[in-house]
Amino acid sequence: MTHILTILEEFLKEMEKNNPYQLVIKGGTALSLFYLNHHRESEDLDFDADLSYLKEYEKIEAYFVSILEQLRQNHVLKNFSHRFCSASGFKHVPKSPT
């Protein structure tokens, strides 16, 4: 059985090849993968994107699915299912005043 963090690392390697939406990883999984020696398992990845891509959420979803398909073809995944939020699920977080 493949370790979930290994799968997530492979997902991010595929993103490095082509990241048309300039997505930036954030959150606890990112910390675990890159700075904390895989201290915990998590099954999600959190990303930030520029608000100009908000209306293109369906294209971003298709982009993620294409990466999962690539991982399946590379035998990193046997199978997968996906669940994404709708456009209303995207949150705008205002910048803090400086």
Side-chain angles (χ1 to χ4, degrees):
M1 182 175 183
T2 304
H3 193 272
I4 187 66
L5 291 178
T6 303
I7 294 169
L8 296 177
E9 284 178 320
E10 292 299 318
F11 186 94
L12 294 173
K13 286 179 188 176
E14 289 296 321
M15 278 189 68
E16 285 179 341
K17 295 176 185 176
N18 180 28
N19 187 354
Y21 302 102
Q22 301 170 7
L23 300 169
V24 177
I25 188 170
K26 65 176 191 172
T29 304
L31 289 171
S32 180
L33 286 170
F34 297 106
Y35 297 107
L36 300 174
N37 198 28
H38 298 185
H39 79 294
R40 68 178 184 134
E41 287 193 12
S42 180
E43 296 181 3
D44 70 322
L45 294 172
D46 300 310
F47 295 95
D48 273 343
D50 190 277
L51 281 176
S52 63
Y53 295 115
L54 184 61
K55 293 181 181 178
E56 299 186 55
Y57 76 92
E58 290 174 332
K59 291 179 183 177
I60 294 172
E61 179 179 327
Y63 168 68
F64 284 142
V65 170
S66 73
I67 293 173
L68 293 170
E69 284 291 342
Q70 185 63 45
L71 294 179
R72 191 172 55 78
Q73 290 175 11
N74 293 345
H75 307 289
V76 174
L77 293 174
K78 287 185 180 180
N79 209 347
F80 68 90
S81 62
H82 64 279
R83 177 179 42 136
F84 296 99
C85 59
S86 66
S88 62
F90 285 86
K91 297 185 291 187
H92 169 66
V93 179
K95 291 183 179 178
S96 302
T98 52

